[in-house]
């Protein structure tokens, strides 16, 4: 079944008409309606038997109160805490969300039958603070003491947990994971996790721009999981003209859905198309669009390689802009792969990043364009054979690693990549003033 959204109520019923305020109790003496009985029995008794007809003003009063509430809700309004309502209904149910008296915070009930007032420090509520477009995992219930606290510590059933954390799929997932993912899902541009050690035992994900803020005393402890910030690709029309190393434009077979400033990706999906060393070493490169005229896109710079129009695919990079400041991620010694991944990022700035413990590598920059990594430290000390890296730069371009101290059993910083769509050679990578150490 599908339903459509009803029209908004812009004017409550009888807002300028004659109406009575509706009391809590109806009167069988006067015939006045009330919320306890509605219209009293006397209004349903024939007049010849002593009945009193219902008043039109009561009808107007009832509909006025109902439609006034509906209008408030349709305008995005949330209710404030009411002790009278809490007593009348036996307490707020688990998952109920209200707004604070000062309209700056939100509270979600963690328990059923909740009669405490969160505005004065009452227990049983998660506080979610609107701080200038900043989300804090602790506002969503994170404990952040560095220890494992499963959702089952608070909730007796998965449905109860999902009333607060819709993304939860198991009561064994940690409260810190659920709260951190809620902060990521909040839609705010900045997630600030300072002053805490978050125990995360499931994947964290974000598919939008983000400014992630930590500090020297805080960290995200990833157990058997990874934190992925990821953009996407949108297919574009094929090229109709070959690309040479002197080309200053890309000519498409039809008008592409791109604009000035967009990043596009040229990719040859044929095995060995860039190198015979491995089958997934495939040709391609990123371009920044200067302008578009019809089906011709002018580009900045010159191509690194020639490309035949008949064998390449074109994509618009719907990249995420990522900024990380003093982010510390501690991986899982038994987990293969980076605990922190930025994929399809455009304009990525990582300052003071620290990563450690993960069995293979600590940070992966995957198919990104325009990346700056400054200071910080990636430490890999695992005996795992093959991928013992500190930082891996996968199929990315225009990267600067500036300063920092990076350690690994094999490669402190590795350039390489995988076999996914858009996995092109790394290009324009600069490592300046960084101290790199290995044991090999």
């Amino acid at each position: 079944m599908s339903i459509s959204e009803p029209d908004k109520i812009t004017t409550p019923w009888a807002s300028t008409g004659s109406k009575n305020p509706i009391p809590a109790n109806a009167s069988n003496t006067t015939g006045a309606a009330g919320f306890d009985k509605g219209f009293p029995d006397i209004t349903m008794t024939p007049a010849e038997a002593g009945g009193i007809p219902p008043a039109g003003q009561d009808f107007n009063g009832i509909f006025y109160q109902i439609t006034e509430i509906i209008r408030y809700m349709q305008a995005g309004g949330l209710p404030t805490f009411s002790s009278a309502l809490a007593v009348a209904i036996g307490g707020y149910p688990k998952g109920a969300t209200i707004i604070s008296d000062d309209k700056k915070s939100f509270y979600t009930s963690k328990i059923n039958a909740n009669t405490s007032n969160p505005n004065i420090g009452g227990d049983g509520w998660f506080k979610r603070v609107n701080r200038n477009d900043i989300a804090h995992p602790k506002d969503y219930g994170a404990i952040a003491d560095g220890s494992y606290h499963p959702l089952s510590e608070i909730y007796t059933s998965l449905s109860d947990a999902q009333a607060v954390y819709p993304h939860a799929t198991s009561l064994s997932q940690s409260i810190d994971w659920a709260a951190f993912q809620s902060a990521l899902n909040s839609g705010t541009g900045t997630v600030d996790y300072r002053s805490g050690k978050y125990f995360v035992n499931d994947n964290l994900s974000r598919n939008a721009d983000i400014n992630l803020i930590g500090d020297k005393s805080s960290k995200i402890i990833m157990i058997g999981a990874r934190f992925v910030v990821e953009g996407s690709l949108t297919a574009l029309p094929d090229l109709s003209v070959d690309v040479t190393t002197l080309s200053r434009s890309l000519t498409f077979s039809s008008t592409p859905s791109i604009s000035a400033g967009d990043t596009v990706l040229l990719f040859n999906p044929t095995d060995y198309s860039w190198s015979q060393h491995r089958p997934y070493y495939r040709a391609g490169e990123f371009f920044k669009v200067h302008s578009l005229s019809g089906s011709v896109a002018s580009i900045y710079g010159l191509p690194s390689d020639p490309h035949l129009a008949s064998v390449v695919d074109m994509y618009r990079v719907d990249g995420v802009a990522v900024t990380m400041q003093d982010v510390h991620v501690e991986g899982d010694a038994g987990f293969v792969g980076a605990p922190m991944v930025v994929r399809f990022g455009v304009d990525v700035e990582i300052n003071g990043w620290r990563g450690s413990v993960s069995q293979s590598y600590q940070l992966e920059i995957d198919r990104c364009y325009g990346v700056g990594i400054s200071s910080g430290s990636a430490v890999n000390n695992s005996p795992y054979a093959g991928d013992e890296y500190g930082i891996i730069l996968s199929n990315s371009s225009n990267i600067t690693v500036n300063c920092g101290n990076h350690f690994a059993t094999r490669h402190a910083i590795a350039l390489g990549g995988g076999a996914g769509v858009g996995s092109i050679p790394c290009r324009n990578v600069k490592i300046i003033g960084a101290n790199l150490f290995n044991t090999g």
Side-chain angles (χ1 to χ4, degrees), residues 209-272:
D209 298 347
I210 187 172
N211 177 25
L212 185 63
I213 302 174
D215 60 25
K216 301 299 183 184
S217 64
S218 301
K219 62 182 174 181
I220 308 169
I221 304 168
M222 305 293 292
I223 303 299
R226 56 170 47 107
F227 188 159
V228 180
V229 183
E230 184 172 14
S232 60
L233 298 177
T234 297
L236 296 174
D238 292 336
L239 294 181
S240 60
V241 177
D242 294 343
V243 176
T244 74
T245 55
L246 298 177
S247 295
R248 300 309 301 262
S249 62
L250 304 172
T251 302
F252 294 84
S253 58
S254 59
T255 302
S257 179
I258 56 176
S259 303
D262 282 349
T263 301
V264 297
L265 174 64
L266 180 153
F267 176 59
N268 185 335
T270 306
D271 286 353
Y272 301 105

Side-chain angles (χ1 to χ4, degrees), residues 287-373:
F287 298 102
K288 180 71 76 174
V289 177
H290 173 272
S291 58
L292 180 69
S293 178
S295 60
V296 179
S298 297
I299 59 174
Y300 290 97
L302 293 170
S304 298
D305 292 320
H307 304 279
L308 295 176
S310 60
V311 298
V312 299
D313 296 325
M314 297 298 300
Y315 299 91
R316 184 185 71 231
V317 182
D318 299 317
V320 285
V322 178
T323 301
M324 298 186 196
Q325 182 65 50
D326 292 325
V327 171
H328 181 191
V329 177
E330 181 180 292
D332 185 341
F335 186 74
V336 177
M340 173 63 76
V341 180
V342 180
R343 180 174 297 125
F344 296 126
V346 175
D347 299 329
V348 178
E349 299 179 16
I350 301 174
N351 303 304
W353 187 89
R354 293 175 295 152
S356 60
V357 181
S358 181
Q359 187 177 107
S360 46
Y361 35 98
Q362 312 305 314
L363 172 66
E364 182 176 11
I365 303 299
D366 181 21
R367 288 167 283 180
C368 294
Y369 180 83
V371 179
I373 302 174

Side-chain angles (χ1 to χ4, degrees), residues 50-64:
I52 301 173
Q57 293 90 335
D58 282 351
F59 280 103
N60 277 352
I62 294 164
F63 288 129
Y64 175 77

Side-chain angles (χ1 to χ4, degrees), residues 4 11 76 150 178 355 422:
S4 57
T11 303

